[in-house]
């Protein structure tokens, strides 16, 4: 028997081509796209403007698969974490972080991660494989299923944003990431605006250059250090894409894009959180004339990590110093910590350290 084609993850053009092979006219692509991505249907039989014969033909040709929910937990602060499993048995975690009347779904792009950042739980789980575009998109589709958010106006959505900050380095799976964002932001389907999608990278320089032109979603850069040596110590990728080169790439991005650059800065006790580090950070941003916004992230410990979180006093002092130098420096408190759902705590293999 022929393997079925997974419809989720095809671009509109690809869908059109497949339908053409089935002898169907181009406008069918739009109808089917709406059923799948606007109404969230998982069964061709529910696509009532298609003939029964066509529905049968489509069911025999395509699948509309979603990852399976293997486990889920809801934190005392309402943060919701799911363990998802794909067709081949590989797993990722997804998190929904609710706020008052909106919230962000944190999705993954890889099973594991090859960057090996010392402070990151995901980084301690080696890279198994990239996710396909369909697997990236379908994570968000599962969240919509759970929260019954298909066919809703933008203002009514609780799942209002996506942050690509789950497992993996998104720019090491660049093509699939871009295809997924194109599908998610398509106005005839899921219709989540690119302004509501933020991609976080550990600093894969070549793609920072392309991302603005080719994608248009928001960018966040994980900096976490105020100088080259320190960054190499905690983020091995810095040896390949060094601190100063990264900042130069951010500066060109800023020149091209306008506005400011969002940096994530993890607060690690005595390692990168002293007044001297704040001064160093300020100086280097001034040197490269970067309009930086620093999201100061409280470190979320995980079993066996070997790092300590900075005290609240330290974090506030650090923030104040950056603000005095003219930079926005909001403090991001941890969410979902009790269920290991916070930044850098995601890990889908239960049996490894
Ligand atoms: N790989 C990408 C995106 C996923 S990580 C990246 O590194 O940017 C999302 C964010 O969580 C990054 O800023 C990452 O540095 C941060 N993070 C990693 N481990 C963490 C931890 N233990 N506590 C808090 N944040 C962490
Ligand atoms: Fe990978 Fe990001 Fe974790 Fe680093 S912080 S290991 S890049 S997921």
């Amino acid at each position: 028997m022929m393997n079925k084609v997974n419809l989720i993850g095809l671009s509109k053009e690809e869908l059109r081509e497949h339908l053409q092979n089935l002898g169907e006219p181009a406008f069918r692509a739009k109808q089917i796209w709406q059923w799948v991505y606007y109404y969230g249907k998982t069964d061709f039989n529910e696509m009532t403007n298609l003939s029964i014969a066509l529905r049968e033909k489509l069911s025999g040709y395509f699948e509309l698969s979603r990852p399976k929910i293997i486990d889920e937990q809801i934190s005392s602060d309402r943060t919701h974490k799911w363990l998802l499993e794909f067709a081949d048995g590989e797993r990722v975690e997804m998190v929904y972080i609710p706020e008052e009347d909106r919230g962000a779904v944190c999705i993954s792009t890889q099973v594991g991660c090859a960057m090996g950042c010392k402070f990151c739980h995901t980084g301690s789980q080696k890279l198994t494989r990239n996710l396909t575009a369909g697997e990236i998109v379908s994570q968000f589709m599962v969240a919509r299923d759970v929260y019954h958010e298909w066919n809703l106006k933008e203002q009514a959505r609780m799942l209002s944003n996506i942050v690509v900050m789950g497992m993996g380095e998104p720019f090491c799976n660049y093509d699939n990431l871009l295809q997924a964002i194109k599908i998610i932001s398509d106005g005839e389907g899921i219709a989540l605006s690119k302004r509501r999608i933020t991609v976080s990278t550990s600093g894969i320089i070549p793609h920072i250059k392309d991302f603005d032109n080719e994608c248009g979603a928001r960018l966040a850069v994980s900096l976490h250090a105020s100088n080259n040596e320190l960054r190499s110590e905690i983020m091995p990728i810095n040896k390949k894409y060094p601190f100063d080169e990264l900042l130069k790439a951010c500066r060109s991005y800023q020149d091209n894009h306008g506005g400011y650059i969002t940096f994530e800065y993890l607060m690690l006790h005595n390692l990168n959180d002293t007044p001297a580090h704040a001064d160093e950070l300020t100086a280097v941003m001034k040197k490269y004339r970067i309009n930086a916004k620093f999201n100061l992230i409280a470190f979320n410990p995980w079993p066996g990590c070997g790092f300590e979180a900075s005290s609240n006093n330290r974090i506030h002092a650090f923030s104040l110093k950056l603000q005095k130098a003219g930079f926005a420096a909001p403090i991001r408190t941890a969410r979902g910590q009790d269920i290991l759902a916070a930044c850098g705590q995601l890990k889908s293999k239960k049996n490894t350290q």
Side-chain angles (χ1 to χ4, degrees):
M1 210 187 80
M2 196 185 76
N3 272 345
K4 286 193 193 179
V5 174
N6 192 2
L7 194 153
I8 314 257
L10 297 180
S11 67
K12 246 185 204 165
E13 299 72 42
E14 287 165 341
L15 176 59
R16 229 174 266 137
E17 278 166 31
H18 280 287
L19 291 168
Q20 223 162 29
N21 294 342
L22 289 171
E24 291 299 320
F27 71 86
R28 291 270 180 251
K30 188 168 167 175
Q31 289 177 316
I32 295 168
W33 188 272
Q34 278 183 338
W35 283 119
V36 174
Y37 291 120
Y38 184 78
Y39 295 104
K41 297 296 178 200
T42 54
D43 186 346
F44 287 101
N45 274 321
E46 293 180 67
M47 304 186 182
T48 48
N49 61 355
L50 309 178
S51 72
I52 293 182
L54 176 57
R55 291 183 223 165
E56 268 168 21
K57 187 155 85 172
L58 294 172
S59 314
Y61 185 88
F62 289 116
E63 55 177 309
L64 287 172
S65 74
R66 306 261 213 271
K68 269 202 292 260
I69 298 176
I70 297 295
D71 194 12
E72 65 183 311
Q73 279 172 287
I74 299 181
S75 150
S76 51
D77 66 10
R78 295 185 303 129
T79 300
H80 196 153
K81 180 169 89 162
W82 297 268
L83 179 64
L84 303 178
E85 185 177 278
F86 298 108
D88 66 349
E90 289 299 342
R91 295 171 172 192
V92 295
E93 290 189 311
M94 173 169 75
V95 181
Y96 171 57
I97 309 127
E99 282 167 39
E100 204 64 351
D101 56 353
R102 45 187 283 184
V105 179
C106 177
I107 62 173
S108 299
T109 51
Q110 298 183 311
V111 181
C113 183
M115 302 297 106
C117 302
K118 298 287 194 309
F119 45 77
C120 175
H121 207 193
T122 306
S124 70
Q125 176 186 327
K126 300 271 174 291
L127 175 68
T128 307
R129 68 170 176 85
N130 279 334
L131 298 186
T132 63
E135 288 169 336
I136 298 171
V137 174
S138 60
Q139 292 169 63
F140 186 66
M141 297 175 84
V142 168
R144 274 212 174 160
D145 292 342
V146 173
Y147 281 81
H148 306 288
E149 287 221 341
W150 292 105
N151 181 17
L152 277 189
K153 290 216 165 53
E154 195 169 354
Q155 311 83 277
R157 295 174 189 160
M158 284 299 293
L159 312 179
S160 59
N161 292 65
I162 290 181
V163 291
V164 186
M165 298 188 182
M167 295 169 58
E169 168 46 55
F171 283 177
C172 291
N173 188 11
Y174 186 76
D175 293 345
N176 290 339
L177 170 77
L178 254 56
Q179 170 124 330
I181 291 177
K182 199 167 168 209
I183 293 170
I184 290 170
S185 58
D186 184 287
E188 289 173 342
I190 295 173
L192 196 88
S193 143
K194 285 180 183 170
R195 286 175 294 108
R196 294 179 174 279
I197 302 174
T198 303
V199 176
S200 172
T201 180
S202 57
I204 312 300
I205 292 176
H207 289 311
I208 293 181
K209 294 191 171 133
D210 307 330
F211 186 67
D212 198 26
N213 299 327
E214 295 174 353
C215 180
R218 287 179 189 268
L219 179 72
V221 176
S222 294
L223 195 62
H224 305 325
S226 54
N227 65 56
N228 193 50
E229 291 68 36
L230 181 54
R231 194 164 191 271
S232 287
E233 235 174 78
I234 56 177
M235 299 179 74
I237 189 63
N238 191 69
K239 292 180 191 127
K240 185 162 182 198
Y241 298 118
F243 188 76
D244 285 85
E245 297 308 311
L246 175 60
L247 292 180
K248 282 181 204 159
C250 290
R251 174 60 205 279
S252 332
Y253 181 94
Q254 174 182 300
D255 289 342
N256 195 29
H257 183 91
Y260 56 88
I261 303 281
T262 303
F263 290 110
E264 283 148 292
Y265 195 95
L266 198 57
M267 299 299 294
L268 298 165
H269 178 65
N270 266 352
L271 199 84
N272 67 359
D273 69 343
T274 67
H277 290 112
D279 287 338
E280 195 172 35
L281 201 53
T282 302
V284 78
M285 292 301 152
K286 297 217 157 131
K287 173 176 169 195
Y288 290 111
R289 284 179 288 128
I290 295 174
N291 304 320
K293 174 189 172 190
F294 296 98
N295 288 330
L296 302 180
I297 307 174
F299 174 62
N300 299 310
W302 39 275
C305 66
F307 292 98
E308 222 183 295
S310 307
S311 68
N312 284 341
N313 280 348
R314 275 272 176 102
I315 300 177
H316 278 99
F318 199 87
S319 169
L320 215 60
K321 227 167 180 332
L322 294 176
Q323 289 178 57
K324 282 196 179 132
F327 300 105
I331 298 166
R332 303 282 177 225
T333 47
R335 300 285 304 268
Q337 236 176 341
D338 53 340
I339 57 167
L340 283 186
C343 300
Q345 291 184 312
L346 302 186
K347 189 164 178 180
S348 56
K349 290 226 162 68
K350 294 195 160 146
N351 51 350
T352 51
Q353 252 296 311

